[in-house]
Structures are given as structure tokens and as C-alpha cells.
Amino acid sequence: MAVVTCKYHVKTPARWACEPCQINFCIDCIDSPAPGKLPRCPVCDRNLTSLGSGNLVMPYWHRLGQMFIYPFYPTPLVFMLVVLALGYGFANIPIPIFNLLLLLVLIVVVAKYAYVVLQDTAQGHLVPLPIGSETLTDDIILPFKQTALMFAFGSINFTIYDMFGPGVALIAYIIILLALPASTMVLAMEQSFFKALNPALIFLVIKRIGLPYFFMVGLLYLLTLAAEILQGLLTHMVTPGVASILLIFTSMYFFLVMFHLMGYVLYQYHDELGYSVEVEAEAHVPVGKLEIASPEMRATEILIAEGKNQEAALRFEQIIQTTPGNIEARERLLKLLRLLGENTQHTRQGQDFISYLFHENKIGIATKVYQECLAYDKEFRPARPNERVEIARMLRGNGQAKTAVTLLGNLHTEFPSFDGIPAAYLMVAKMLCEQFSDDSKARQILQFVLKYYPNHEIAAEAQEYLTVIDKLAGQQR
Ligand SMILES: [Zn+2]
Ligand SMILES: [Zn+2]
């Protein structure tokens, strides 16, 4: 019983498959579709095929430990303790027959609860559900059907013994022992005595589960054996009074473990057996935190993994169009475009990203994005002049005057009507003078500002700075 795993999460069982692409996807790769609809393959956009949720259920042989814990959940534990207390009380009623009758009722109630455990587990409830008022009274006939079933199997075996002798009867006995769990499972799911006795139906259940069915049967008889050994030990270790309480408790405990196990096998094979379950399985292996949370981003990851980079880029663009605030998509798109050498698109997306960040007043991040774009493309510049000035100011503050000066070069030819040019150029002049000691270039720029923007509010400051430069130059001479 190999579990089909996801191509991209090799430890996670797959839920969907694309046959043309030959890819299996887990539920983390594909967003769950609308009811009655199949999800689409992120690579080829065809409908995916369901692998059945049975593929997601952890095989019972991987969770044997949990089987033994099941009766210790509060609901079954309290149930068993109440039964013990009532049993003790009933046994001490000094009216013969009457106390036996009450004890018999108690046994029926325990058997009924075992069926409830089987049915709930088969529906995918791996933690016991609370016991409601109807839980134990609805279909209370089930344990009687079970008893009738045992009688039926017994009499079949006796008849065979009478007709064919002990050899054949022994074989029949073994077959009955093998069929008994399947019969119990059919009775639990169908609630029909005749269906539970129908050899064709029993055979179908065994055939569909396959070899794991026989492992389960082996396990059930091992559990019976374990219960007997434990009880044998207990009777020697404690006083008879305590021993009888412990015997009843261990009997109930192993009974619930076994019915939980049979229920779980039904749950695990519900697809094969054609049962629908209430609780759809989630991936049984804890999935490591995925890098990306949203389903559409997962799809782009898959496209990239499949080498479909152009399609992935297109998908990223669609994501950004619908959710401009998806910073992760924007960053990943830029990286992808660099990888693909798509310079024109890189410029457009980079500029768009920076404009978005300015709109959100995130100038620090915008500066970082600019630097990354610049590292890839020496010609890259933000689209708007005010963005260039703000980023240059940020860069200057971070001690990156050279990048800032380059960024502001030619502002007046590219954006002749931008009214921030005098201030930007004054900043450039200051950087040239202070960081690069290039006084002559600084003076040229200041003179340019004074010539072309004599009435601008910044002109006075430019004039003042020019005077300072001249004075310093005079002192040095
Ligand atoms: Zn996956
Ligand atoms: Zn496909």
C-alpha cells in the first residue's frame, strides 16, 4: 500500500493528479475546489483527477499507538467508569434475577457504545464524540444483531461439523474467524443482520481492503490474547474484589480499542468500499511551513518548478493587478524577470513597484527596491522625478552619495517642467562639494540653478551656498 505523494512536498500524500503532466499534487499545492467541481492543474490548466481522500488517511499500522490511547479520552473513560460503578451497584442488589437483568442491560449498553465508536471512527472522527442521549439508545438493537450473528456463525460451524466431520469444520472455523471482523464492520455500517451474514458482501469488503485486512484480523486476535494475558496476571496480583473490577475495565478497554481499529480501517478504505465520510482527511504528515501561503502564489511556484517561467511571470502580473499590495509577488516577479533577462518588463515592473511603495509612503523599502533594480540594470531609474529625489535623499542619508548623484543626473532634460529641480540640484551640489570635494562641478550646477531658476524659492539658498564655496576657495588660495 504505497501512498502516492506530492511532487513538490515529497513527504505529503497527494490528493490530486494531472495525468498529461504526470504530476501529483497535495492539498497544500491546490486550493480546495468548489463542491462538485474539480480543481485545475496549475501547469496545463486541465481538470485534475482525484486520487481519493483515502490516499490522505494515515494507514492504521502507522497509528497503532493512538489506537491504544483512544479509550482514555475523557468521554470513553468516564463512560467506562460509570459502567463500573453501576455494575458494582447492580451486582450488590440482593434481588436475584433482577440484578442479573440489570447487569445484562449494562453489557448491551457497552456493546452499543462499541458500535458507536466504530461508526464514529469510520466517519473520520478520530477523537471520541461526546455521548448524547440518543447515542446509546438509537439502534440499541445492534448488539442483539451481533449476538444473533455469532449464533448464526456458530450453528453454521456445527452443521458443517455434523455433515463433513472435524477436519472440514476446523477449516470452516478458521474462515469464520477471518470473516467475523468484516461481518461486524458490515453490520456497523449497514445495520442489517442479513447483509452482515451475506458471504458475497463479506468477501467484497475483504477483497477491497486486501492484505491489510488480514493484518487487522491478526491484530484483533493479538489484542484478545493480550487482554487475556493481562487479566491472568491481574487475578494473581490483587485481591479478588479488585481483580473483578480490573477485569471488567480491561475487557471494556480492549473492546473499545478493537472497535476503534475496525472503524479506522473502514475510514482508511472508505473510497475503496464506497462509503462517504463526514470528516474529510487532511494530509496526515505534518506539512512543513510553506514559503508561500496563498494558492495563486503556490501555482506560480509550481510553474517555476516545471520550468514554465514565462507563464509564472504572467501569473505574477495577474496577481499584482488584482492585489497591488502583494509585496511578495512583486519581489518574486522582479527576481524572475532578472533571471529571464526580460529588461523591458523588469524596468516597467520595478518602476510600478516603486510607485506603489511611494503611494504607501514606504520610501525606505522603495529605496531598497531601487538599489536591487540598479544592481541588475545600471540604467534603471524610478519613473517619477519626485521618487528619484526622495530616494536620492534617502541614499544620501545612508552614505551612498555616489548613487544619489547618479540618480539625479539629467533631471532637467528628462523632466524639464518638474519644479523640484532646483532643490534636487542644490542637494547634488552639496554632495559634490562635501562628499567628493568636486567644487568646480558643484559651482557649475549652482550657477545653472541661478541662471534658469532665478526666481525660485531655492535660488537664495543656492546663491548662499555658492558664496560659501567661493569663500572657501579664496581661503585655500
Ligand atoms: Zn504539495
Ligand atoms: Zn497538467
Side-chain angles (χ1 to χ4, degrees):
M1 270 304 292
V3 169
V4 181
T5 56
C6 172
K7 181 175 178 184
Y8 311 103
H9 305 95
V10 287
K11 285 184 175 171
T12 309
R15 176 69 179 87
W16 308 101
C18 179
E19 274 152 29
C21 295
Q22 298 228 314
I23 301 175
N24 299 313
F25 300 96
C26 69
I27 51 167
D28 285 305
C29 285
I30 307 292
D31 206 26
S32 46
K37 282 200 169 174
L38 287 172
R40 285 174 175 277
C41 172
V43 182
C44 70
D45 208 36
R46 290 188 183 92
N47 275 348
L48 292 171
T49 322
S50 169
L51 286 173
S53 53
N55 193 47
L56 303 184
V57 180
M58 185 193 283
Y60 72 84
W61 50 91
H62 282 174
R63 64 182 300 279
L64 293 177
Q66 278 117 293
M67 302 271 172
F68 288 103
I69 295 168
Y70 188 89
F72 288 126
Y73 276 101
T75 305
L77 189 64
V78 168
F79 173 80
M80 289 191 293
L81 293 176
V82 168
V83 167
L84 269 185
L86 286 176
Y88 186 77
F90 292 164
N92 286 315
I93 293 175
I95 311 164
I97 312 283
F98 182 66
N99 58 12
L100 278 182
L101 264 175
L102 282 177
L103 286 174
L104 205 64
V105 168
L106 214 50
I107 291 170
V108 170
V109 168
V110 172
K112 173 62 181 54
Y113 182 58
Y115 271 95
V116 171
V117 165
L118 196 166
Q119 288 162 336
D120 285 350
T121 311
Q123 290 296 339
H125 301 287
L126 304 186
V127 168
L129 295 180
I131 298 176
S133 56
E134 327 82 58
T135 313
L136 298 175
T137 49
D138 271 7
D139 294 317
I140 190 73
I141 197 80
L142 264 184
F144 296 102
K145 284 180 180 170
Q146 172 78 58
T147 314
L149 213 53
M150 302 296 267
F151 268 115
F153 278 125
S155 45
I156 290 169
N157 207 28
F158 274 121
T159 317
I160 290 171
Y161 187 93
D162 284 345
M163 287 170 74
F164 305 101
V168 180
L170 182 66
I171 296 169
Y173 181 63
I174 293 169
I175 292 173
I176 288 171
L177 282 187
L178 284 175
L180 208 54
S183 164
T184 306
M185 285 150 87
V186 172
L187 181 63
M189 296 315 284
E190 304 281 350
Q191 280 134 40
S192 154
F193 169 79
F194 291 103
K195 279 184 179 170
L197 204 58
N198 182 345
L201 207 56
I202 292 172
F203 178 72
L204 198 69
V205 168
I206 298 175
K207 187 173 155 245
R208 290 199 172 153
I209 298 175
L211 208 55
Y213 174 82
F214 295 98
F215 291 138
M216 180 201 74
V217 175
L219 205 59
L220 288 172
Y221 287 112
L222 273 180
L223 285 169
T224 316
L225 197 66
E228 278 171 17
I229 292 171
L230 185 66
Q231 290 173 341
L233 285 174
L234 286 174
T235 39
H236 290 292
M237 283 162 66
V238 291
T239 58
V242 178
S244 59
I245 292 172
L246 287 176
L247 285 186
I248 297 166
F249 185 81
T250 46
S251 298
M252 286 193 289
Y253 169 79
F254 279 97
F255 202 46
L256 293 187
V257 170
M258 290 181 345
F259 273 68
H260 176 56
L261 172 62
M262 287 190 280
Y264 192 86
V265 172
L266 280 177
Y267 173 56
Q268 185 182 335
Y269 292 94
H270 69 264
D271 263 3
E272 287 85 344
L273 295 171
Y275 289 119
S276 64
V277 297
E278 286 168 6
V279 185
E280 264 273 356
E282 295 283 308
H284 67 61
V285 179
V287 184
K289 272 251 160 22
L290 279 171
E291 270 183 52
I292 284 167
S294 71
E296 68 259 65
M297 292 285 274
R298 276 178 237 151
T300 58
E301 278 232 311
I302 290 165
L303 284 169
I304 292 168
E306 292 303 318
K308 305 222 165 193
N309 292 321
Q310 302 287 355
E311 286 88 340
L314 207 69
R315 197 71 67 96
F316 273 131
E317 281 185 34
Q318 289 166 352
I319 294 169
I320 293 165
Q321 254 170 28
T322 45
T323 46
N326 194 330
I327 303 287
E328 198 176 0
R330 288 182 179 271
E331 281 174 346
R332 292 175 70 89
L333 175 58
L334 285 179
K335 277 187 193 148
L336 186 61
L337 293 173
R338 284 171 206 149
L339 200 76
L340 296 174
E342 294 281 359
N343 293 357
T344 320
Q345 249 179 302
H346 177 263
T347 305
R348 190 160 49 81
Q349 290 297 337
Q351 289 180 335
D352 192 53
F353 189 12
I354 289 173
S355 294
Y356 169 78
L357 290 168
F358 264 84
H359 181 258
E360 295 293 303
N361 219 4
K362 292 176 178 163
I363 297 163
I365 304 173
T367 306
K368 224 179 105 241
V369 171
Y370 167 67
Q371 286 173 290
E372 283 163 5
C373 290
L374 190 68
Y376 167 76
D377 177 6
K378 290 276 161 287
E379 305 295 311
F380 181 87
R381 300 284 183 273
R384 296 186 176 83
N386 66 308
E387 294 166 3
R388 295 191 189 182
V389 173
E390 288 306 314
I391 288 175
R393 188 164 290 141
M394 198 68 135
L395 288 167
R396 185 190 179 200
N398 295 341
Q400 287 167 293
K402 194 162 180 265
T403 318
V405 170
T406 321
L407 179 56
L408 296 180
N410 284 329
L411 213 55
H412 67 284
T413 42
E414 276 189 71
F415 306 98
S417 57
F418 175 50
D419 77 329
I421 290 172
Y425 279 8
L426 176 61
M427 181 163 70
V428 172
K430 284 178 177 176
M431 284 189 281
L432 285 170
C433 179
E434 290 158 25
Q435 267 88 28
F436 305 105
S437 311
D438 192 346
D439 289 0
S440 68
K441 192 83 186 285
R443 193 179 287 120
Q444 268 180 28
I445 288 173
L446 291 170
Q447 279 161 353
F448 173 88
V449 170
L450 291 171
K451 186 179 172 191
Y452 290 98
Y453 306 91
N455 300 321
H456 196 279
E457 53 179 18
I458 227 82
E461 201 186 327
Q463 181 59 60
E464 206 174 298
Y465 200 75
L466 187 59
T467 318
V468 173
I469 293 175
D470 285 341
K471 251 186 209 163
L472 285 170
Q475 278 171 3
Q476 274 164 11
R477 241 178 253 136

